[in-house]
Amino acid sequence: AKLAKPAAISACLEQTGHYSIAISKALHQHGIHALFLVNPRRIKAFGNQKLRRNKSDTADARLIARFLVAEQNDLTPWTPKTTENEQLTDLVRYTESITREIAKLKTKCEAAIDPIVLKSLSRRIKSEQKELAAIRLRINAIIKSSDTIRKSDQLIRSIPGIGEISSHLMLAEIPDLTHFSNARQLAAWAGVTPCHFVSGTSGRPTT
């Protein structure tokens, strides 16, 4: 059988972290540019709509293929991140990890009784906080070094209630903002688009 040329192939993957990114990079390098990474919630909702009953790797692959055929015109093709964007994602996710660790250590401090334990925990908290500050400086340096990222950062921070940390998180996790023509598209990509479910004529809708 004659294989289709890479440019004629479309591929769709569930966005499941570094595993899906590694596969996407490999496919992109081999010329498959009609490549789509989709929030798993969106594919699950599609499966529910189609009354999917089976759950297996084969069934999942078929469902994703059916989803791609039905929704491709409304999907945004995936493109590899720049080096700066990849660094930003890595650093921001690490700050989230450090922040959680600091919170755990503070909780342990509240429960600790022995002064030696308290001293040790306090020392670890200060060390983690110092590390966190250094990483955030690195994040800001990367943002300033890229005109595209810097402009996106300024745009995001113009939203009332969005500060430095929230902006960094959005820059790290959301692909190029220009891929979305409106807020609803972004919400759909994130899997948080409100949906109403009403049962009967007297039931109250739930979101």
Side-chain angles (χ1 to χ4, degrees):
K2 187 176 181 180
L3 296 176
K5 294 182 179 180
I9 297 174
S10 295
C12 182
L13 294 83
E14 288 187 328
Q15 193 164 12
T16 54
H18 65 278
Y19 293 110
S20 59
I21 296 298
I23 295 172
S24 298
K25 285 182 177 179
L27 292 173
H28 193 273
Q29 289 171 359
H30 283 79
I32 299 177
H33 295 166
L35 179 61
F36 306 91
L37 261 65
V38 180
N39 190 310
R41 292 181 181 178
R42 190 170 178 182
I43 294 175
K44 182 180 179 181
F46 179 81
N48 292 338
Q49 182 184 7
K50 299 299 180 182
L51 301 178
R52 183 180 71 157
R53 291 174 293 179
N54 298 323
K55 173 65 178 175
S56 67
D57 290 344
T58 301
D60 288 348
R62 287 174 178 166
L63 175 64
I64 293 172
R66 291 175 64 191
F67 171 85
L68 179 59
V69 171
E71 304 290 337
Q72 183 167 348
N73 291 337
D74 295 326
L75 299 176
T76 301
W78 176 86
T79 54
K81 286 185 175 183
T82 64
T83 300
E84 291 82 5
N85 281 116
E86 287 190 332
Q87 290 175 323
L88 189 62
T89 299
D90 199 25
L91 289 166
V92 170
R93 288 179 179 176
Y94 190 46
T95 63
E96 291 292 297
S97 176
I98 294 176
T99 300
R100 288 193 295 270
E101 182 62 24
I102 291 173
K104 290 179 182 178
L105 291 172
K106 287 183 176 180
T107 300
K108 290 180 179 180
C109 271
E110 293 175 358
I113 299 175
D114 190 274
I116 293 179
V117 174
L118 283 170
K119 185 176 181 180
S120 176
L121 288 170
S122 297
R123 185 167 59 247
R124 290 175 61 188
I125 289 172
K126 289 180 181 179
S127 176
E128 294 285 357
Q129 289 174 334
K130 183 178 179 181
E131 186 74 15
L132 183 61
I135 293 174
R136 284 184 173 155
L137 285 175
R138 173 62 177 158
I139 289 172
N140 284 320
I142 290 174
I143 291 173
K144 291 178 181 178
S145 70
S146 168
D147 289 340
T148 301
I149 299 177
R150 186 177 70 254
K151 289 178 181 178
S152 294
D153 182 47
Q154 292 171 347
L155 179 62
I156 292 171
R157 291 205 205 186
S158 69
I159 302 172
I162 299 294
E164 178 182 271
I165 295 176
S166 296
S167 178
H168 290 175
L169 184 60
M170 293 178 71
L171 288 170
E173 300 300 340
I174 298 174
D176 189 348
L177 291 174
T178 60
H179 287 178
F180 306 99
S181 59
N182 54 58
R184 186 170 181 81
Q185 283 189 0
L186 176 57
W189 173 85
V192 295
T193 306
C195 298
H196 284 82
F197 298 89
V198 181
S199 178
T201 57
S202 60
R204 297 178 62 185
T206 59
T207 302

